[in-house]
């Protein structure tokens, strides 16, 4: 029997074709996700997908003034809470930029963040809950100091959440997945 620590996500590696969107690849494994899983992306020639390649393939638009300050490090997590139809996804970036500057960059990005990250927010969804909700204004979290969020589904299952925690920028498309990853990173 395989045992794993509660604080350690299951590791999964995905090889994706040169033009394949990583979020499409995530959608193919989504039915298997029930525990916290960390996904590592590799190209068809078995090389780790860089942050620049990942964001380009995923069609995510991160403001240049923030993107150029990110380390090449990134992590992708998926988690499905009991009773949820599909897993949420969380991206973790790392930066050496001071928190005040990261806060400014993310707050400035809020005006376009939803559109810039739409492929991420809608991973695997057949209906555009972002547009259907009509929500565009981020709110401050009552759970995490400094965290901000937009709830598109009314229950946090489809949302856009972000938090700066030390050197990490944590961005989630589901409140439960976001909570799980924040908890994991705080224990590391």
């Amino acid at each position: 029997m395989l045992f794993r620590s509660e604080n350690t996500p299951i590791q999964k590696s995905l090889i994706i074709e040169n033009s394949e969107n990583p979020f499409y690849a995530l959608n193919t494994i989504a039915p298997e996700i029930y525990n916290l899983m960390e996904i590592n992306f590799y190209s068809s020639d078995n090389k780790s997908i860089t942050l620049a390649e990942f964001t380009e393939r995923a069609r995510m638009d991160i403001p240049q003034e923030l993107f150029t300050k990110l380390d090449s490090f990134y992590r992708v997590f998926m988690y499905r809470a009991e009773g949820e139809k599909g897993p949420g996804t969380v991206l973790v970036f790392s930066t050496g930029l001071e928190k005040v500057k990261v806060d400014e960059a993310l707050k400035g990005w809020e005006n376009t963040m939803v559109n810039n990250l739409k492929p991420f927010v809608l991973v695997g969804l057949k209906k555009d809950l972002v547009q259907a909700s009509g929500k565009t204004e981020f709110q401050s979290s009552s759970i995490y100091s400094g965290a901000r969020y937009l709830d598109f589904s009314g229950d946090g299952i489809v949302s856009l959440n972000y938090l700066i925690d030390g050197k990490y920028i944590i961005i989630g498309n589901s409140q439960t997945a976001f909570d799980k990853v924040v908890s994991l990173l705080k224990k590391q």
Side-chain angles (χ1 to χ4, degrees):
M1 181 175 254
L2 179 67
F3 292 97
R4 72 177 177 86
S5 165
E6 182 64 32
N7 297 331
T8 308
I10 297 166
Q11 297 291 313
K12 173 106 177 158
S13 296
L14 283 180
I15 294 176
I16 58 176
E17 298 303 317
N18 290 341
S19 60
E20 188 177 5
N21 186 323
F23 297 139
Y24 177 77
L26 288 178
N27 196 31
T28 64
I29 64 163
E32 309 171 18
I33 308 288
Y34 286 95
N35 296 302
L36 185 61
M37 186 176 284
E38 183 172 4
I39 292 85
N40 303 293
F41 291 100
Y42 294 91
S43 63
S44 52
D45 55 352
N46 210 25
K47 290 191 174 129
S48 198
I49 303 273
T50 67
L51 175 61
E53 291 170 321
F54 177 80
T55 57
E56 182 181 320
R57 288 178 182 207
R59 294 191 285 287
M60 293 188 336
D61 190 13
I62 299 173
Q64 201 60 32
E65 64 274 6
L66 178 60
F67 187 77
T68 57
K69 304 295 187 204
L70 295 177
D71 302 336
S72 58
F73 165 93
Y74 72 98
R75 294 171 82 179
V76 179
F77 296 92
M78 291 183 87
Y79 173 74
R80 176 190 327 224
E82 196 171 313
E84 289 183 351
K85 291 182 180 142
T89 307
V90 178
L91 305 173
V92 179
F93 302 109
S94 175
T95 182
L97 198 59
E98 60 190 67
K99 185 180 182 336
V100 174
K101 298 276 188 200
V102 179
D103 269 334
E104 284 174 13
L106 288 170
K107 283 234 172 88
W109 186 20
E110 283 185 6
N111 295 328
T112 59
M113 189 185 287
V114 174
N115 284 332
N116 294 161
L117 297 180
K118 209 165 196 180
F120 167 68
V121 176
L122 298 174
V123 172
L125 292 178
K126 297 188 180 16
K127 181 180 180 192
D128 187 342
L129 292 174
V130 171
Q131 188 168 352
S133 77
K135 295 186 178 174
T136 57
E137 298 286 321
F138 278 81
Q139 299 176 28
S140 292
S141 170
S142 60
I143 302 169
Y144 306 106
S145 177
R148 308 268 295 158
Y149 74 95
L150 259 168
D151 183 356
F152 304 112
S153 59
D155 56 8
I157 292 174
V158 180
S159 56
L160 184 56
N161 313 271
Y162 75 81
L163 172 69
I164 302 148
D165 187 37
K167 67 179 184 172
Y168 299 119
I169 301 169
I170 306 161
I171 302 174
N173 68 8
S174 152
Q175 184 66 49
T176 53
F178 182 76
D179 291 344
K180 195 77 165 170
V181 173
V182 169
S183 174
L184 171 77
L185 293 174
K186 286 190 179 292
K187 290 176 185 169
Q188 290 184 344

